[in-house]
Amino acid sequence: KHALAEALSLCHHALLTPENTWQRLAVANELIAAAAAAGDGLLSLVGLCWRAVDLFLLGDPGACTALEELRLRADALRCRSVLFIVSAMEVMLAIRAGRFNQAEEASAACFELGGEVGDADALAYRGAHLCAIRFFQGREAELADLSASIAASPTLEERERAFASAAALCALRAGRPEPARALLARFKHYGPASIPASSSWLLTMLVVVELAFAFG
């Protein structure tokens, strides 16, 4: 059962692309059941984490309840690595509610926690939070340099394109259209297949649409 739970967790991680959105929840639920049967509290917690993520991505009304259950379980097990993920999702909820000042403060605390637990994605989450906040505030130009530096970070996966795209959008808003024109030229030449499948594929496509609209 333990080996099955491990395999299901890896399987779920490999399915973090848009076309698998409707398949992942079943994998997360099976992981929770297998981990419980194996008596593995940590893998059970991982399953609860995946389930909360899946429900948010499905737009399920039970997502917030799943997140609260995850937070309580992670607190009980004192698992700060999962609490980091919980805090990242709580920042997302603050952004969705339009509480941008609160979201920015929470994002800073989330980034600090991510650094303490050694999560390799801490910088990416911080950048994503700030980009989302500034996008909704209409202040993307302020992040032109920061987004470009994050896009060049060695902590990002090789397939990651969202930050490079966001950097082009922020540069455009700051009055520097060259990166955006270059990105669109590559996209026009190579097509959608030039953007590798990843958990940030949809966000990258959103930026491409924003840039295309900006240039008419």
Side-chain angles (χ1 to χ4, degrees):
K1 288 293 184 179
H2 177 83
L4 174 60
E6 286 273 15
L8 288 166
S9 180
L10 291 171
C11 175
H12 190 288
H13 199 79
L15 295 175
L16 289 177
T17 47
E19 69 269 21
N20 295 308
T21 298
W22 291 269
Q23 301 177 34
R24 290 191 299 262
L25 184 59
V27 177
N29 287 332
E30 189 177 353
L31 165 58
I32 294 168
D40 192 317
L42 181 57
L43 275 175
S44 180
L45 189 62
V46 170
L48 290 174
C49 184
W50 284 133
R51 185 174 70 178
V53 170
D54 292 337
L55 290 173
F56 274 118
L57 291 175
L58 286 167
D60 192 288
C64 287
T65 300
L67 178 60
E68 180 61 15
E69 180 185 359
L70 175 64
R71 186 185 66 78
L72 292 173
R73 290 284 294 274
D75 262 334
L77 292 174
R78 298 179 181 178
C79 185
R80 299 177 77 228
S81 295
V82 172
L83 286 172
F84 165 65
I85 304 299
V86 171
S87 68
M89 287 192 277
E90 289 174 341
V91 174
M92 172 197 69
L93 291 177
I95 295 172
R96 285 184 175 187
R99 300 192 300 269
F100 299 128
N101 291 335
Q102 176 189 336
E104 194 161 347
E105 292 176 4
S107 175
C110 175
F111 178 61
E112 183 177 351
L113 177 58
E116 290 173 2
V117 301
D119 195 299
D121 290 326
L123 178 63
Y125 283 20
R126 173 63 167 161
H129 287 152
L130 288 177
C131 283
I133 292 167
R134 294 292 180 262
F135 178 83
F136 289 120
Q137 291 175 324
R139 296 165 53 189
E140 302 99 316
E142 298 175 15
L143 294 181
D145 294 333
L146 176 63
S147 56
S149 66
I150 294 178
S153 172
T155 64
L156 296 184
E157 291 186 16
E158 186 178 347
R159 295 182 301 168
E160 173 59 55
R161 297 290 188 275
F163 277 108
S165 303
L169 177 61
C170 291
L172 176 64
R173 299 287 192 255
R176 303 197 299 270
E178 294 79 11
R181 291 189 185 280
L183 187 149
L184 285 179
R186 288 194 300 272
F187 186 82
K188 182 178 180 181
H189 181 76
Y190 294 105
S194 62
I195 302 176
S198 73
S199 58
S200 63
W201 181 91
L202 195 57
L203 178 58
T204 306
M205 292 300 296
L206 169 64
V207 175
V208 169
V209 171
E210 285 282 336
L211 295 177
F213 176 78
F215 286 112

PDB file of all heavy atoms in Angstrom, residues 122-160:
ATOM      1  N   ALA A 122       9.776  28.374  -3.823  1.00  0.00           N
ATOM      2  CA  ALA A 122       9.416  29.556  -3.024  1.00  0.00           C
ATOM      3  C   ALA A 122       9.521  30.839  -3.842  1.00  0.00           C
ATOM      4  O   ALA A 122       8.628  31.698  -3.800  1.00  0.00           O
ATOM      5  CB  ALA A 122      10.285  29.639  -1.778  1.00  0.00           C
ATOM      6  N   LEU A 123      10.599  30.994  -4.592  1.00  0.00           N
ATOM      7  CA  LEU A 123      10.777  32.203  -5.398  1.00  0.00           C
ATOM      8  C   LEU A 123       9.720  32.286  -6.503  1.00  0.00           C
ATOM      9  O   LEU A 123       9.162  33.360  -6.761  1.00  0.00           O
ATOM     10  CB  LEU A 123      12.173  32.229  -6.015  1.00  0.00           C
ATOM     11  CG  LEU A 123      12.477  33.422  -6.933  1.00  0.00           C
ATOM     12  CD1 LEU A 123      12.405  34.728  -6.150  1.00  0.00           C
ATOM     13  CD2 LEU A 123      13.850  33.265  -7.582  1.00  0.00           C
ATOM     14  N   ALA A 124       9.431  31.165  -7.132  1.00  0.00           N
ATOM     15  CA  ALA A 124       8.426  31.149  -8.199  1.00  0.00           C
ATOM     16  C   ALA A 124       7.049  31.523  -7.650  1.00  0.00           C
ATOM     17  O   ALA A 124       6.303  32.283  -8.287  1.00  0.00           O
ATOM     18  CB  ALA A 124       8.375  29.777  -8.856  1.00  0.00           C
ATOM     19  N   TYR A 125       6.696  31.017  -6.481  1.00  0.00           N
ATOM     20  CA  TYR A 125       5.408  31.350  -5.885  1.00  0.00           C
ATOM     21  C   TYR A 125       5.346  32.841  -5.550  1.00  0.00           C
ATOM     22  O   TYR A 125       4.326  33.501  -5.790  1.00  0.00           O
ATOM     23  CB  TYR A 125       5.169  30.532  -4.611  1.00  0.00           C
ATOM     24  CG  TYR A 125       4.752  29.098  -4.835  1.00  0.00           C
ATOM     25  CD1 TYR A 125       4.993  28.456  -6.039  1.00  0.00           C
ATOM     26  CD2 TYR A 125       4.121  28.375  -3.833  1.00  0.00           C
ATOM     27  CE1 TYR A 125       4.618  27.137  -6.231  1.00  0.00           C
ATOM     28  CE2 TYR A 125       3.731  27.051  -4.021  1.00  0.00           C
ATOM     29  CZ  TYR A 125       3.989  26.438  -5.232  1.00  0.00           C
ATOM     30  OH  TYR A 125       3.613  25.143  -5.427  1.00  0.00           O
ATOM     31  N   ARG A 126       6.425  33.363  -4.993  1.00  0.00           N
ATOM     32  CA  ARG A 126       6.476  34.786  -4.647  1.00  0.00           C
ATOM     33  C   ARG A 126       6.293  35.631  -5.915  1.00  0.00           C
ATOM     34  O   ARG A 126       5.518  36.590  -5.930  1.00  0.00           O
ATOM     35  CB  ARG A 126       7.805  35.106  -3.980  1.00  0.00           C
ATOM     36  CG  ARG A 126       8.084  36.583  -3.708  1.00  0.00           C
ATOM     37  CD  ARG A 126       7.100  37.196  -2.749  1.00  0.00           C
ATOM     38  NE  ARG A 126       7.552  38.490  -2.284  1.00  0.00           N
ATOM     39  CZ  ARG A 126       6.777  39.406  -1.736  1.00  0.00           C
ATOM     40  NH1 ARG A 126       5.489  39.160  -1.592  1.00  0.00           N
ATOM     41  NH2 ARG A 126       7.265  40.570  -1.334  1.00  0.00           N
ATOM     42  N   GLY A 127       7.005  35.266  -6.953  1.00  0.00           N
ATOM     43  CA  GLY A 127       6.880  36.009  -8.202  1.00  0.00           C
ATOM     44  C   GLY A 127       5.491  35.914  -8.786  1.00  0.00           C
ATOM     45  O   GLY A 127       4.944  36.916  -9.279  1.00  0.00           O
ATOM     46  N   ALA A 128       4.900  34.726  -8.734  1.00  0.00           N
ATOM     47  CA  ALA A 128       3.547  34.540  -9.272  1.00  0.00           C
ATOM     48  C   ALA A 128       2.537  35.374  -8.496  1.00  0.00           C
ATOM     49  O   ALA A 128       1.632  35.992  -9.079  1.00  0.00           O
ATOM     50  CB  ALA A 128       3.169  33.061  -9.224  1.00  0.00           C
ATOM     51  N   HIS A 129       2.684  35.398  -7.170  1.00  0.00           N
ATOM     52  CA  HIS A 129       1.780  36.208  -6.361  1.00  0.00           C
ATOM     53  C   HIS A 129       1.880  37.683  -6.745  1.00  0.00           C
ATOM     54  O   HIS A 129       0.863  38.358  -6.969  1.00  0.00           O
ATOM     55  CB  HIS A 129       2.134  36.053  -4.873  1.00  0.00           C
ATOM     56  CG  HIS A 129       1.756  34.742  -4.293  1.00  0.00           C
ATOM     57  ND1 HIS A 129       2.431  34.171  -3.223  1.00  0.00           N
ATOM     58  CD2 HIS A 129       0.787  33.848  -4.616  1.00  0.00           C
ATOM     59  CE1 HIS A 129       1.879  33.017  -2.915  1.00  0.00           C
ATOM     60  NE2 HIS A 129       0.882  32.795  -3.747  1.00  0.00           N
ATOM     61  N   LEU A 130       3.111  38.187  -6.812  1.00  0.00           N
ATOM     62  CA  LEU A 130       3.298  39.604  -7.113  1.00  0.00           C
ATOM     63  C   LEU A 130       2.803  39.954  -8.518  1.00  0.00           C
ATOM     64  O   LEU A 130       2.201  41.008  -8.728  1.00  0.00           O
ATOM     65  CB  LEU A 130       4.771  39.984  -6.957  1.00  0.00           C
ATOM     66  CG  LEU A 130       5.304  40.038  -5.523  1.00  0.00           C
ATOM     67  CD1 LEU A 130       6.790  40.347  -5.522  1.00  0.00           C
ATOM     68  CD2 LEU A 130       4.548  41.081  -4.699  1.00  0.00           C
ATOM     69  N   CYS A 131       3.066  39.060  -9.470  1.00  0.00           N
ATOM     70  CA  CYS A 131       2.609  39.308 -10.842  1.00  0.00           C
ATOM     71  C   CYS A 131       1.081  39.367 -10.901  1.00  0.00           C
ATOM     72  O   CYS A 131       0.512  40.236 -11.577  1.00  0.00           O
ATOM     73  CB  CYS A 131       3.127  38.221 -11.780  1.00  0.00           C
ATOM     74  SG  CYS A 131       4.875  38.402 -12.234  1.00  0.00           S
ATOM     75  N   ALA A 132       0.426  38.468 -10.199  1.00  0.00           N
ATOM     76  CA  ALA A 132      -1.039  38.470 -10.189  1.00  0.00           C
ATOM     77  C   ALA A 132      -1.576  39.740  -9.537  1.00  0.00           C
ATOM     78  O   ALA A 132      -2.503  40.380 -10.054  1.00  0.00           O
ATOM     79  CB  ALA A 132      -1.561  37.238  -9.463  1.00  0.00           C
ATOM     80  N   ILE A 133      -0.986  40.114  -8.400  1.00  0.00           N
ATOM     81  CA  ILE A 133      -1.441  41.318  -7.694  1.00  0.00           C
ATOM     82  C   ILE A 133      -1.274  42.556  -8.572  1.00  0.00           C
ATOM     83  O   ILE A 133      -2.202  43.353  -8.748  1.00  0.00           O
ATOM     84  CB  ILE A 133      -0.673  41.485  -6.368  1.00  0.00           C
ATOM     85  CG1 ILE A 133      -1.055  40.376  -5.383  1.00  0.00           C
ATOM     86  CG2 ILE A 133      -0.960  42.857  -5.752  1.00  0.00           C
ATOM     87  CD1 ILE A 133      -0.138  40.276  -4.171  1.00  0.00           C
ATOM     88  N   ARG A 134      -0.094  42.712  -9.141  1.00  0.00           N
ATOM     89  CA  ARG A 134       0.169  43.898  -9.961  1.00  0.00           C
ATOM     90  C   ARG A 134      -0.678  43.884 -11.249  1.00  0.00           C
ATOM     91  O   ARG A 134      -1.080  44.940 -11.735  1.00  0.00           O
ATOM     92  CB  ARG A 134       1.650  43.981 -10.305  1.00  0.00           C
ATOM     93  CG  ARG A 134       2.552  44.218  -9.115  1.00  0.00           C
ATOM     94  CD  ARG A 134       2.348  45.614  -8.517  1.00  0.00           C
ATOM     95  NE  ARG A 134       3.239  45.799  -7.378  1.00  0.00           N
ATOM     96  CZ  ARG A 134       2.866  45.632  -6.101  1.00  0.00           C
ATOM     97  NH1 ARG A 134       1.606  45.301  -5.815  1.00  0.00           N
ATOM     98  NH2 ARG A 134       3.723  45.796  -5.128  1.00  0.00           N
ATOM     99  N   PHE A 135      -0.946  42.696 -11.788  1.00  0.00           N
ATOM    100  CA  PHE A 135      -1.782  42.605 -12.985  1.00  0.00           C
ATOM    101  C   PHE A 135      -3.170  43.157 -12.704  1.00  0.00           C
ATOM    102  O   PHE A 135      -3.713  43.961 -13.466  1.00  0.00           O
ATOM    103  CB  PHE A 135      -1.861  41.152 -13.454  1.00  0.00           C
ATOM    104  CG  PHE A 135      -2.738  40.932 -14.656  1.00  0.00           C
ATOM    105  CD1 PHE A 135      -2.257  41.152 -15.934  1.00  0.00           C
ATOM    106  CD2 PHE A 135      -4.050  40.500 -14.519  1.00  0.00           C
ATOM    107  CE1 PHE A 135      -3.066  40.965 -17.049  1.00  0.00           C
ATOM    108  CE2 PHE A 135      -4.862  40.301 -15.620  1.00  0.00           C
ATOM    109  CZ  PHE A 135      -4.363  40.536 -16.891  1.00  0.00           C
ATOM    110  N   PHE A 136      -3.762  42.738 -11.598  1.00  0.00           N
ATOM    111  CA  PHE A 136      -5.111  43.194 -11.270  1.00  0.00           C
ATOM    112  C   PHE A 136      -5.132  44.653 -10.823  1.00  0.00           C
ATOM    113  O   PHE A 136      -6.167  45.318 -10.916  1.00  0.00           O
ATOM    114  CB  PHE A 136      -5.730  42.296 -10.198  1.00  0.00           C
ATOM    115  CG  PHE A 136      -6.076  40.929 -10.697  1.00  0.00           C
ATOM    116  CD1 PHE A 136      -5.508  39.796 -10.135  1.00  0.00           C
ATOM    117  CD2 PHE A 136      -6.972  40.764 -11.741  1.00  0.00           C
ATOM    118  CE1 PHE A 136      -5.833  38.528 -10.602  1.00  0.00           C
ATOM    119  CE2 PHE A 136      -7.297  39.504 -12.220  1.00  0.00           C
ATOM    120  CZ  PHE A 136      -6.728  38.380 -11.647  1.00  0.00           C
ATOM    121  N   GLN A 137      -3.987  45.148 -10.361  1.00  0.00           N
ATOM    122  CA  GLN A 137      -3.886  46.559  -9.985  1.00  0.00           C
ATOM    123  C   GLN A 137      -3.559  47.452 -11.181  1.00  0.00           C
ATOM    124  O   GLN A 137      -3.594  48.679 -11.056  1.00  0.00           O
ATOM    125  CB  GLN A 137      -2.807  46.752  -8.916  1.00  0.00           C
ATOM    126  CG  GLN A 137      -3.148  46.168  -7.552  1.00  0.00           C
ATOM    127  CD  GLN A 137      -1.984  46.288  -6.579  1.00  0.00           C
ATOM    128  OE1 GLN A 137      -0.824  46.158  -6.961  1.00  0.00           O
ATOM    129  NE2 GLN A 137      -2.299  46.544  -5.317  1.00  0.00           N
ATOM    130  N   GLY A 138      -3.220  46.817 -12.316  1.00  0.00           N
ATOM    131  CA  GLY A 138      -2.804  47.601 -13.468  1.00  0.00           C
ATOM    132  C   GLY A 138      -1.425  48.206 -13.285  1.00  0.00           C
ATOM    133  O   GLY A 138      -1.095  49.235 -13.879  1.00  0.00           O
ATOM    134  N   ARG A 139      -0.571  47.546 -12.505  1.00  0.00           N
ATOM    135  CA  ARG A 139       0.767  48.079 -12.181  1.00  0.00           C
ATOM    136  C   ARG A 139       1.875  47.120 -12.617  1.00  0.00           C
ATOM    137  O   ARG A 139       2.926  47.042 -12.004  1.00  0.00           O
ATOM    138  CB  ARG A 139       0.862  48.335 -10.668  1.00  0.00           C
ATOM    139  CG  ARG A 139      -0.092  49.395 -10.148  1.00  0.00           C
ATOM    140  CD  ARG A 139      -0.216  49.354  -8.624  1.00  0.00           C
ATOM    141  NE  ARG A 139       1.068  49.423  -7.956  1.00  0.00           N
ATOM    142  CZ  ARG A 139       1.228  49.223  -6.638  1.00  0.00           C
ATOM    143  NH1 ARG A 139       0.176  48.936  -5.873  1.00  0.00           N
ATOM    144  NH2 ARG A 139       2.420  49.303  -6.088  1.00  0.00           N
ATOM    145  N   GLU A 140       1.645  46.429 -13.725  1.00  0.00           N
ATOM    146  CA  GLU A 140       2.634  45.433 -14.180  1.00  0.00           C
ATOM    147  C   GLU A 140       4.001  46.048 -14.465  1.00  0.00           C
ATOM    148  O   GLU A 140       5.030  45.380 -14.303  1.00  0.00           O
ATOM    149  CB  GLU A 140       2.138  44.734 -15.453  1.00  0.00           C
ATOM    150  CG  GLU A 140       0.805  44.029 -15.325  1.00  0.00           C
ATOM    151  CD  GLU A 140      -0.321  44.867 -15.865  1.00  0.00           C
ATOM    152  OE1 GLU A 140      -0.351  46.087 -15.579  1.00  0.00           O
ATOM    153  OE2 GLU A 140      -1.161  44.323 -16.597  1.00  0.00           O
ATOM    154  N   ALA A 141       4.032  47.304 -14.889  1.00  0.00           N
ATOM    155  CA  ALA A 141       5.297  47.950 -15.254  1.00  0.00           C
ATOM    156  C   ALA A 141       6.296  47.924 -14.108  1.00  0.00           C
ATOM    157  O   ALA A 141       7.513  47.856 -14.336  1.00  0.00           O
ATOM    158  CB  ALA A 141       5.042  49.394 -15.689  1.00  0.00           C
ATOM    159  N   GLU A 142       5.797  47.942 -12.876  1.00  0.00           N
ATOM    160  CA  GLU A 142       6.681  47.942 -11.711  1.00  0.00           C
ATOM    161  C   GLU A 142       7.490  46.659 -11.591  1.00  0.00           C
ATOM    162  O   GLU A 142       8.522  46.629 -10.911  1.00  0.00           O
ATOM    163  CB  GLU A 142       5.865  48.148 -10.430  1.00  0.00           C
ATOM    164  CG  GLU A 142       5.127  49.469 -10.373  1.00  0.00           C
ATOM    165  CD  GLU A 142       4.245  49.567  -9.145  1.00  0.00           C
ATOM    166  OE1 GLU A 142       4.424  48.754  -8.208  1.00  0.00           O
ATOM    167  OE2 GLU A 142       3.360  50.449  -9.105  1.00  0.00           O
ATOM    168  N   LEU A 143       7.024  45.591 -12.233  1.00  0.00           N
ATOM    169  CA  LEU A 143       7.684  44.289 -12.088  1.00  0.00           C
ATOM    170  C   LEU A 143       8.545  43.911 -13.289  1.00  0.00           C
ATOM    171  O   LEU A 143       8.970  42.763 -13.403  1.00  0.00           O
ATOM    172  CB  LEU A 143       6.636  43.194 -11.864  1.00  0.00           C
ATOM    173  CG  LEU A 143       5.839  43.270 -10.559  1.00  0.00           C
ATOM    174  CD1 LEU A 143       4.869  42.111 -10.476  1.00  0.00           C
ATOM    175  CD2 LEU A 143       6.768  43.264  -9.351  1.00  0.00           C
ATOM    176  N   ALA A 144       8.818  44.859 -14.170  1.00  0.00           N
ATOM    177  CA  ALA A 144       9.563  44.539 -15.385  1.00  0.00           C
ATOM    178  C   ALA A 144      10.918  43.898 -15.071  1.00  0.00           C
ATOM    179  O   ALA A 144      11.275  42.854 -15.637  1.00  0.00           O
ATOM    180  CB  ALA A 144       9.748  45.793 -16.234  1.00  0.00           C
ATOM    181  N   ASP A 145      11.662  44.490 -14.168  1.00  0.00           N
ATOM    182  CA  ASP A 145      13.000  43.970 -13.855  1.00  0.00           C
ATOM    183  C   ASP A 145      12.920  42.709 -12.995  1.00  0.00           C
ATOM    184  O   ASP A 145      13.661  41.742 -13.223  1.00  0.00           O
ATOM    185  CB  ASP A 145      13.836  45.039 -13.151  1.00  0.00           C
ATOM    186  CG  ASP A 145      14.143  46.220 -14.055  1.00  0.00           C
ATOM    187  OD1 ASP A 145      14.179  46.030 -15.289  1.00  0.00           O
ATOM    188  OD2 ASP A 145      14.326  47.335 -13.533  1.00  0.00           O
ATOM    189  N   LEU A 146      12.023  42.728 -11.996  1.00  0.00           N
ATOM    190  CA  LEU A 146      11.911  41.570 -11.104  1.00  0.00           C
ATOM    191  C   LEU A 146      11.474  40.330 -11.857  1.00  0.00           C
ATOM    192  O   LEU A 146      12.049  39.248 -11.684  1.00  0.00           O
ATOM    193  CB  LEU A 146      10.922  41.876  -9.981  1.00  0.00           C
ATOM    194  CG  LEU A 146      10.638  40.702  -9.011  1.00  0.00           C
ATOM    195  CD1 LEU A 146      11.903  40.301  -8.285  1.00  0.00           C
ATOM    196  CD2 LEU A 146       9.536  41.084  -8.024  1.00  0.00           C
ATOM    197  N   SER A 147      10.472  40.451 -12.723  1.00  0.00           N
ATOM    198  CA  SER A 147       9.978  39.277 -13.451  1.00  0.00           C
ATOM    199  C   SER A 147      11.052  38.732 -14.393  1.00  0.00           C
ATOM    200  O   SER A 147      11.178  37.517 -14.573  1.00  0.00           O
ATOM    201  CB  SER A 147       8.706  39.609 -14.226  1.00  0.00           C
ATOM    202  OG  SER A 147       8.909  40.701 -15.106  1.00  0.00           O
ATOM    203  N   ALA A 148      11.853  39.631 -14.968  1.00  0.00           N
ATOM    204  CA  ALA A 148      12.935  39.176 -15.843  1.00  0.00           C
ATOM    205  C   ALA A 148      13.997  38.419 -15.056  1.00  0.00           C
ATOM    206  O   ALA A 148      14.524  37.401 -15.526  1.00  0.00           O
ATOM    207  CB  ALA A 148      13.559  40.372 -16.555  1.00  0.00           C
ATOM    208  N   SER A 149      14.285  38.883 -13.841  1.00  0.00           N
ATOM    209  CA  SER A 149      15.295  38.194 -13.025  1.00  0.00           C
ATOM    210  C   SER A 149      14.779  36.841 -12.560  1.00  0.00           C
ATOM    211  O   SER A 149      15.542  35.867 -12.508  1.00  0.00           O
ATOM    212  CB  SER A 149      15.685  39.063 -11.823  1.00  0.00           C
ATOM    213  OG  SER A 149      14.597  39.215 -10.927  1.00  0.00           O
ATOM    214  N   ILE A 150      13.491  36.742 -12.232  1.00  0.00           N
ATOM    215  CA  ILE A 150      12.928  35.457 -11.831  1.00  0.00           C
ATOM    216  C   ILE A 150      12.931  34.494 -13.013  1.00  0.00           C
ATOM    217  O   ILE A 150      13.210  33.303 -12.863  1.00  0.00           O
ATOM    218  CB  ILE A 150      11.504  35.636 -11.276  1.00  0.00           C
ATOM    219  CG1 ILE A 150      11.534  36.425  -9.974  1.00  0.00           C
ATOM    220  CG2 ILE A 150      10.840  34.270 -11.045  1.00  0.00           C
ATOM    221  CD1 ILE A 150      10.166  36.702  -9.382  1.00  0.00           C
ATOM    222  N   ALA A 151      12.627  35.019 -14.213  1.00  0.00           N
ATOM    223  CA  ALA A 151      12.611  34.166 -15.407  1.00  0.00           C
ATOM    224  C   ALA A 151      13.979  33.545 -15.662  1.00  0.00           C
ATOM    225  O   ALA A 151      14.081  32.448 -16.237  1.00  0.00           O
ATOM    226  CB  ALA A 151      12.180  34.983 -16.623  1.00  0.00           C
ATOM    227  N   ALA A 152      15.040  34.229 -15.220  1.00  0.00           N
ATOM    228  CA  ALA A 152      16.397  33.719 -15.424  1.00  0.00           C
ATOM    229  C   ALA A 152      16.891  32.866 -14.255  1.00  0.00           C
ATOM    230  O   ALA A 152      18.018  32.371 -14.285  1.00  0.00           O
ATOM    231  CB  ALA A 152      17.354  34.892 -15.636  1.00  0.00           C
ATOM    232  N   SER A 153      16.036  32.661 -13.247  1.00  0.00           N
ATOM    233  CA  SER A 153      16.456  31.916 -12.060  1.00  0.00           C
ATOM    234  C   SER A 153      16.697  30.442 -12.371  1.00  0.00           C
ATOM    235  O   SER A 153      15.880  29.798 -13.047  1.00  0.00           O
ATOM    236  CB  SER A 153      15.393  32.033 -10.965  1.00  0.00           C
ATOM    237  OG  SER A 153      15.688  31.166  -9.879  1.00  0.00           O
ATOM    238  N   PRO A 154      17.789  29.870 -11.877  1.00  0.00           N
ATOM    239  CA  PRO A 154      18.051  28.443 -12.102  1.00  0.00           C
ATOM    240  C   PRO A 154      17.112  27.526 -11.329  1.00  0.00           C
ATOM    241  O   PRO A 154      17.101  26.317 -11.559  1.00  0.00           O
ATOM    242  CB  PRO A 154      19.499  28.280 -11.613  1.00  0.00           C
ATOM    243  CG  PRO A 154      19.699  29.380 -10.620  1.00  0.00           C
ATOM    244  CD  PRO A 154      18.875  30.534 -11.133  1.00  0.00           C
ATOM    245  N   THR A 155      16.306  28.099 -10.415  1.00  0.00           N
ATOM    246  CA  THR A 155      15.374  27.259  -9.650  1.00  0.00           C
ATOM    247  C   THR A 155      14.133  26.903 -10.459  1.00  0.00           C
ATOM    248  O   THR A 155      13.390  26.002 -10.072  1.00  0.00           O
ATOM    249  CB  THR A 155      14.928  27.966  -8.360  1.00  0.00           C
ATOM    250  OG1 THR A 155      14.188  29.155  -8.687  1.00  0.00           O
ATOM    251  CG2 THR A 155      16.117  28.333  -7.495  1.00  0.00           C
ATOM    252  N   LEU A 156      13.905  27.580 -11.581  1.00  0.00           N
ATOM    253  CA  LEU A 156      12.736  27.272 -12.406  1.00  0.00           C
ATOM    254  C   LEU A 156      12.995  26.042 -13.264  1.00  0.00           C
ATOM    255  O   LEU A 156      14.124  25.792 -13.689  1.00  0.00           O
ATOM    256  CB  LEU A 156      12.394  28.452 -13.317  1.00  0.00           C
ATOM    257  CG  LEU A 156      11.966  29.766 -12.650  1.00  0.00           C
ATOM    258  CD1 LEU A 156      11.580  30.780 -13.718  1.00  0.00           C
ATOM    259  CD2 LEU A 156      10.820  29.543 -11.681  1.00  0.00           C
ATOM    260  N   GLU A 157      11.936  25.291 -13.524  1.00  0.00           N
ATOM    261  CA  GLU A 157      12.055  24.132 -14.407  1.00  0.00           C
ATOM    262  C   GLU A 157      12.385  24.580 -15.827  1.00  0.00           C
ATOM    263  O   GLU A 157      12.035  25.685 -16.243  1.00  0.00           O
ATOM    264  CB  GLU A 157      10.742  23.341 -14.431  1.00  0.00           C
ATOM    265  CG  GLU A 157      10.415  22.630 -13.135  1.00  0.00           C
ATOM    266  CD  GLU A 157       9.184  21.766 -13.283  1.00  0.00           C
ATOM    267  OE1 GLU A 157       8.785  21.485 -14.432  1.00  0.00           O
ATOM    268  OE2 GLU A 157       8.626  21.356 -12.255  1.00  0.00           O
ATOM    269  N   GLU A 158      13.050  23.703 -16.554  1.00  0.00           N
ATOM    270  CA  GLU A 158      13.434  24.028 -17.927  1.00  0.00           C
ATOM    271  C   GLU A 158      12.213  24.303 -18.798  1.00  0.00           C
ATOM    272  O   GLU A 158      12.265  25.122 -19.721  1.00  0.00           O
ATOM    273  CB  GLU A 158      14.256  22.876 -18.517  1.00  0.00           C
ATOM    274  CG  GLU A 158      14.815  23.174 -19.891  1.00  0.00           C
ATOM    275  CD  GLU A 158      15.670  22.029 -20.419  1.00  0.00           C
ATOM    276  OE1 GLU A 158      16.028  21.129 -19.639  1.00  0.00           O
ATOM    277  OE2 GLU A 158      15.964  22.034 -21.622  1.00  0.00           O
ATOM    278  N   ARG A 159      11.086  23.628 -18.500  1.00  0.00           N
ATOM    279  CA  ARG A 159       9.874  23.799 -19.311  1.00  0.00           C
ATOM    280  C   ARG A 159       9.114  25.081 -18.985  1.00  0.00           C
ATOM    281  O   ARG A 159       8.188  25.453 -19.694  1.00  0.00           O
ATOM    282  CB  ARG A 159       8.934  22.611 -19.117  1.00  0.00           C
ATOM    283  CG  ARG A 159       9.474  21.283 -19.618  1.00  0.00           C
ATOM    284  CD  ARG A 159       8.445  20.192 -19.423  1.00  0.00           C
ATOM    285  NE  ARG A 159       8.057  20.040 -18.021  1.00  0.00           N
ATOM    286  CZ  ARG A 159       7.020  19.325 -17.596  1.00  0.00           C
ATOM    287  NH1 ARG A 159       6.242  18.717 -18.464  1.00  0.00           N
ATOM    288  NH2 ARG A 159       6.753  19.220 -16.311  1.00  0.00           N
ATOM    289  N   GLU A 160       9.491  25.756 -17.908  1.00  0.00           N
ATOM    290  CA  GLU A 160       8.753  26.924 -17.447  1.00  0.00           C
ATOM    291  C   GLU A 160       8.876  28.084 -18.430  1.00  0.00           C
ATOM    292  O   GLU A 160       9.972  28.507 -18.784  1.00  0.00           O
ATOM    293  CB  GLU A 160       9.289  27.349 -16.069  1.00  0.00           C
ATOM    294  CG  GLU A 160       8.733  28.647 -15.546  1.00  0.00           C
ATOM    295  CD  GLU A 160       7.240  28.616 -15.410  1.00  0.00           C
ATOM    296  OE1 GLU A 160       6.710  27.720 -14.726  1.00  0.00           O
ATOM    297  OE2 GLU A 160       6.602  29.493 -16.011  1.00  0.00           O
TER     298      GLU A 160
END
